Amino acid sequence: MGRKTKSTLEVAAIYVVVLVMFALIVYPLLWAISISLNPGTSLFSAKLIPDNWSLVHYKWLFTAPNSNYGLWYKNTLLVAVLNAVLNVAVVSLLAYVFSRFRFVGRRYSIYSFLILQMFPVTMGMVAIYLLLNMVNLLDTFAGLILIYLGGGLTMNVFLVKGYMDTLPRDLDESAKMDGAGHMTIFSKILLPLTKPILAVVALFTFMAPFMDFLTPKIIIRSPEKYTLALGLFNLINDKFANNFTRFSAGTMLIALPIAIVFLFLQRYLITGLADGATKG
């Protein structure tokens, strides 16, 4: 087999793999969009391209008297924004401490972070439930945000610390010679340089409340405090007799704020990829 033929077969194999993966991702998405545009209520009558497509389900979500979708959306946005902001603030400070300071127990703390990453948050849900009950944070957004913050803290700190470790310490020394303190170095020098990795942290912590069902299911009890995942589950489980067409319409709208945040942070994400390639 000649080199040219071998190269052609390798390229063809790559394209086949890419097309298969593309089909596995796009095909279910197209069906979900199609079902949300189907004016009926049955999955079996839906077609990939509806004969008489309609936005009736999207309209129902926000206008029907017995629909709380708008409230669920507002609750989820509130939790997602606060979760992202708090994560970026706390993670960046902790990463700066571990990256730039030497103190007793630092190495063991880093090892603890690595070990804690191996265990999912769900393992400690019983203890978390009891703890939130003791401090009267059950059925509150504050309790939910604290769980999200603690659950992603170890991994995010480890990622941001690794990024800060690649930044030259000469920047810190030069700033100290000019009279800058630790907070000035952190806020004026290191923080702007870590925007790419912080954008990644912000994006994924913003997405978490939109995707998570188990945590709000355990913590939230009041229907007026439901997040989208919990509310949509009840939409097809209790009140509306498995109306999957409305459920699909509700899930489609979840992608809207995530896409907006992604587009807003896109330039920082691209900068991070370029920097990583240069540093590599």
Side-chain angles (χ1 to χ4, degrees):
M1 184 182 295
R3 180 178 299 178
K4 185 176 181 180
T5 304
K6 184 178 180 181
S7 177
T8 302
L9 290 175
E10 289 176 349
V11 172
I14 292 172
Y15 275 109
V16 169
V17 172
V18 171
L19 288 174
V20 170
M21 297 303 298
F22 181 79
L24 290 175
I25 295 172
V26 173
Y27 186 72
L29 179 61
L30 291 177
W31 264 110
I33 296 173
S34 173
I35 292 169
S36 70
L37 297 175
N38 178 29
T41 60
S42 174
L43 291 177
F44 301 102
S45 63
K47 297 180 180 179
L48 187 59
I49 302 178
D51 295 328
N52 300 307
W53 65 273
S54 172
L55 297 176
V56 62
H57 298 307
Y58 293 92
K59 181 179 179 181
W60 181 92
L61 290 172
F62 292 99
T63 60
N66 56 341
S67 172
N68 293 319
Y69 186 82
L71 181 61
W72 303 336
Y73 216 100
K74 183 181 71 173
N75 294 342
T76 310
L77 280 174
L78 175 64
V79 173
V81 170
L82 291 177
N83 184 43
V85 171
L86 289 175
N87 259 283
V88 169
V90 175
V91 165
S92 58
L93 283 170
L94 286 175
Y96 173 66
V97 170
F98 281 106
S99 176
R100 289 304 196 254
F101 291 89
R102 298 294 181 268
F103 52 88
V104 177
R106 173 181 175 274
R107 180 178 299 178
Y108 294 108
S109 299
I110 295 175
Y111 289 156
S112 299
F113 278 3
L114 290 172
I115 294 173
L116 288 172
Q117 291 177 41
M118 304 176 187
F119 301 97
V121 180
T122 52
M123 289 184 61
M125 274 301 176
V126 175
I128 290 171
Y129 181 89
L130 294 175
L131 179 61
L132 291 179
N133 187 44
M134 290 172 58
V135 295
N136 295 322
L137 287 179
L138 277 180
D139 198 27
T140 64
F141 293 142
L144 186 59
I145 293 170
L146 282 175
I147 300 305
Y148 285 136
L149 179 62
L153 199 62
T154 54
M155 183 63 182
N156 292 332
V157 169
F158 189 71
L159 287 175
V160 179
K161 174 197 172 295
Y163 192 94
M164 283 189 178
D165 287 342
T166 65
L167 302 177
R169 294 180 180 272
D170 294 342
L171 297 173
D172 305 33
E173 299 300 328
S174 299
K176 288 179 182 177
M177 291 178 64
D178 292 335
H182 292 301
M183 288 306 298
T184 301
I185 295 172
F186 168 72
S187 60
K188 301 294 184 180
I189 298 175
L190 292 183
L191 202 58
L193 293 175
T194 54
K195 281 182 180 179
I197 191 64
L198 291 178
V200 174
V201 171
L203 177 62
F204 283 100
T205 52
F206 180 83
M207 289 171 55
F210 286 93
M211 309 298 181
D212 184 37
F213 166 76
L214 182 59
T215 307
K217 177 66 175 177
I218 294 173
I219 296 173
I220 301 300
R221 291 289 180 267
S222 303
E224 66 272 9
K225 296 180 181 178
Y226 282 174
T227 59
L228 277 172
L230 189 55
L232 287 172
F233 172 79
N234 289 328
L235 185 70
I236 61 171
N237 189 57
D238 296 328
K239 298 180 181 179
F240 303 106
N242 296 330
N243 195 325
F244 283 96
T245 50
R246 289 174 182 169
F247 175 83
S248 296
T251 56
M252 287 297 101
L253 293 176
I254 290 177
L256 184 60
I258 296 175
I260 292 173
V261 172
F262 175 80
L263 292 175
F264 176 75
L265 298 175
Q266 186 178 21
R267 61 191 181 110
Y268 300 115
L269 298 172
I270 294 174
T271 302
L273 291 174
D275 289 347
T278 303
K279 291 174 184 177

